[in-house]
Amino acid sequence: PRALDATTTIPVPAPRSVPGVRVPAPGPVPVPTPVPGSAEARAPSVADTNIRVDVGLLDGLMTLVGELVLARNQIVRHTASAAGDPALLATVQRLNLLTTELQAGVMKTRMQPIGNVLGKFPRVVRDLAVACGKQVRLDIEGQDTELDRTIIEAIRDPLTHAVRNAVDHGIEAAAGRVAWGKPPEGRLHLRAFHESGKVVIEIADDGAGIDPNRVRDKALAAKLVTADRVAGMSARELVNLVFLPGFTTADRVTHFSGRGVGMDVVRTNIEKIGGTVDLESRPARGTTVRMKIPLTLAIIPALTITSGAERYAIPQVSVVELLHIDADRAGRAVESVHGAPVYRLRGSLLPLVSLARELGDCAERPAGAGLNVVVVQADDRQFGLIVDAIHDTEEIVVKPLQKLLKGVGAFAGATIMGDGKVALILDVLGLAQRAHVLTGTRARARAEAVPDTTPTEVREPALLFAAPGGGRMAVPLACVARLEEFPRSAVERVGRGFVVQYRGAILPLVDAGRARGARPKRPRDPNAPLQVVVCAHRGRRAGLVVGRVIDIVDEAVAARAPATRPGVAFTAVVRDRVTEFLDVDALLDAEGGAP
């Protein structure tokens, strides 16, 4: 026989003895061994790469990671406030990095594809279409989009309600579609995708759409709203009345609809997990229900703020930007529209809401103080939340509220901060509803927006800051990745420049004062943290050391002058002050200056 290239021997058990028959002793049998690189060696079985883990064990592991994150936050806070030795600071930074990686790994174990939920809808749609006498074709996109297991369980019922409503109420019968010039078969499209740190799920149909006038008449007939309230509503606001409890457009109660518990359940359940629901409909063209859902509920990044004597946390996904209005501008910058305070932000009116007033804190603010405003987004609308102080962003572990506080719409949960104290997590959507800023806000802001009357002027959003050596400078907002504070003890010298360890990488530092060609001034307080603008452009990243961040501007730059110093793109007048706009490419090519 032909010899094998690679063999191994295995013992063969002796055969059963038969009386009167002599059997020779067995010898070693050659068994081929998979050659490295062959198909047999490259194809491990599923059992070799997967194991079964109890869900309760994963939940317990997630709880332990949450407690580890809390302990990490406490250690980082105490280390930053005390001047320790460099070895301790390096160890804490390493602990911070390892905790973040461990948290990300455990979060991945809880992630499941949304296809586990969407996969059941073809049968649901088919059975419902047959029962309603309709022809419906279902298209599903994005089944590999992953969500936390608890989120997937929470969205199962809302998705079912939305799909059933689309088939029963949205898509017409074949005869009605042909009369409108549509194909007899209706189309229902389910789509899931990631957007801005959230998962967006769209349920779109090409049916009859929603008639705003019919919705208004049904709501008035059911006494869900008053005639005075609907008189000033736009078509979009009338359509969103379908989310009211007890609302239905069905003329009779059937096995599938007419009980008025559909869209109300959808919005309520989605808002419970921190998501939002938006409805867009065009008569005779179709309806789209858009749900925005957070990836997870266990550990989230949040911005900590202070109002009165209490600290609160705002989920980072709801924060758009931060504003500080100087005391000398606060009086004339804040205007009043229909008795409500607004701020003119880049040509649009931004409604302002005082957090202290909404939470019942009647303490008066000191006279002559500026305004700290957190611009947040509730549903698809923005408003400014006036707070006393704005602190840092950190990852928090969400704890559920007790029964006594669950009825308060301003809070979504609680967390334990780095100093061991409890802070409440604000519900941005609940605050917007309490302050009555959702109804008609966008329409009024768009109607009262200031038009650009000078088409030759250039509008470019930019970050305005004071340079360490004095004067005002700006960089394009599109190049700004983050705003950070670093302790001076974290700065290390490498060659002729300075760097800092940042998010698992090495971030070079550039002194903004050197772009002006002047020697930077030494800070008054040598222990003051560095104010750093992290700039990213064309795949490169560097930290720009600034004196103080002033504001984000999006004003028409009319008066320009060519640059007279290296590192400066041009000079312009912004808010009645000469401001130098930095050349970001030259900035990233520069060497780090002494911070």
Side-chain angles (χ1 to χ4, degrees), residues 131-465:
C132 296
K134 300 178 180 180
Q135 301 178 24
V136 181
R137 176 168 60 92
L138 176 64
D139 297 329
I140 301 179
E141 180 182 349
Q143 297 189 65
D144 295 334
T145 305
E146 291 187 336
L147 273 172
D148 192 279
R149 185 183 63 85
T150 56
I151 300 281
I152 286 183
E153 293 298 325
I155 67 175
R156 193 182 300 271
D157 287 343
L159 280 178
T160 303
H161 278 294
V163 169
R164 291 170 69 94
N165 279 344
V167 176
D168 190 19
H169 295 290
I171 298 178
E172 315 96 326
R177 294 180 60 85
V178 172
W180 281 98
K182 300 179 181 179
E185 184 184 52
R187 181 173 178 266
L188 182 62
H189 189 194
L190 293 182
R191 180 184 175 213
F193 58 94
H194 289 279
E195 181 183 83
S196 302
K198 290 188 176 183
V199 171
V200 181
I201 304 176
E202 293 182 348
I203 305 100
D205 65 76
D206 62 346
I210 301 176
D211 185 3
N213 296 327
R214 188 183 178 207
V215 172
R216 178 195 59 201
D217 296 340
K218 287 285 185 178
L220 290 175
K223 297 183 179 179
L224 300 177
V225 291
T226 62
D228 295 337
R229 180 182 173 187
V230 300
M233 285 188 176
S234 62
R236 179 188 178 93
E237 293 168 348
L238 289 174
V239 168
N240 278 272
L241 291 178
V242 300
F243 290 109
L244 291 176
F247 181 88
T248 179
T249 56
D251 297 325
R252 57 189 178 88
V253 177
T254 65
H255 180 68
F256 308 108
S257 63
R259 295 178 296 274
V261 295
M263 299 307 294
D264 175 39
V265 170
V266 171
R267 168 165 281 185
T268 301
N269 290 356
I270 294 299
E271 289 179 353
K272 281 182 180 178
I273 59 175
T276 59
V277 181
D278 182 39
L279 183 65
E280 181 181 350
S281 181
R282 293 177 295 175
R285 299 292 297 275
T287 303
T288 300
V289 179
R290 186 175 293 105
M291 305 177 184
K292 294 184 179 180
I293 305 167
L295 291 175
T296 181
L297 298 179
I299 302 175
I300 61 173
L303 176 71
T304 56
I305 55 96
T306 300
S307 179
E310 302 295 334
R311 279 187 305 174
Y312 302 95
I314 305 176
Q316 189 69 31
V317 295
S318 301
V319 178
V320 179
E321 62 179 293
L322 307 177
L323 302 175
H324 177 75
I325 306 175
D326 296 333
D328 55 350
R329 289 199 309 120
R332 62 179 183 275
V334 177
E335 307 172 29
S336 179
V337 175
H338 302 291
V342 294
Y343 174 69
R344 199 172 294 272
L345 177 63
R346 294 189 285 275
S348 299
L349 294 181
L350 180 73
L352 297 180
V353 175
S354 173
L355 180 60
R357 184 177 297 108
E358 293 300 325
L359 299 182
D361 187 1
C362 300
E364 296 185 0
R365 298 175 61 256
L371 293 180
N372 295 310
V373 180
V374 181
V375 181
V376 294
Q377 183 152 341
D379 200 354
D380 59 344
R381 312 190 181 180
Q382 297 181 3
F383 68 96
L385 199 60
I386 301 176
V387 300
D388 292 342
I390 299 174
H391 305 292
D392 202 358
T393 299
E394 62 181 82
E395 291 179 331
I396 62 173
V397 180
V398 180
K399 303 289 186 181
L401 292 174
Q402 297 298 321
K403 293 183 179 180
L404 294 177
L405 293 176
K406 282 189 176 181
V408 182
F411 306 119
T415 187
I416 302 176
M417 305 303 297
D419 56 0
K421 296 182 179 179
V422 176
L424 293 173
I425 303 173
L426 295 178
D427 182 2
V428 174
L429 187 61
L431 283 173
Q433 293 172 348
R434 287 166 61 102
H436 306 289
V437 298
L438 287 182
T439 304
T441 301
R442 171 174 288 188
R444 287 198 301 267
R446 186 182 294 113
E448 298 184 38
V450 177
D452 188 5
T453 57
T454 55
T456 59
E457 297 176 343
V458 179
R459 303 179 68 91
E460 182 180 12
L463 179 70
L464 188 65
F465 59 87

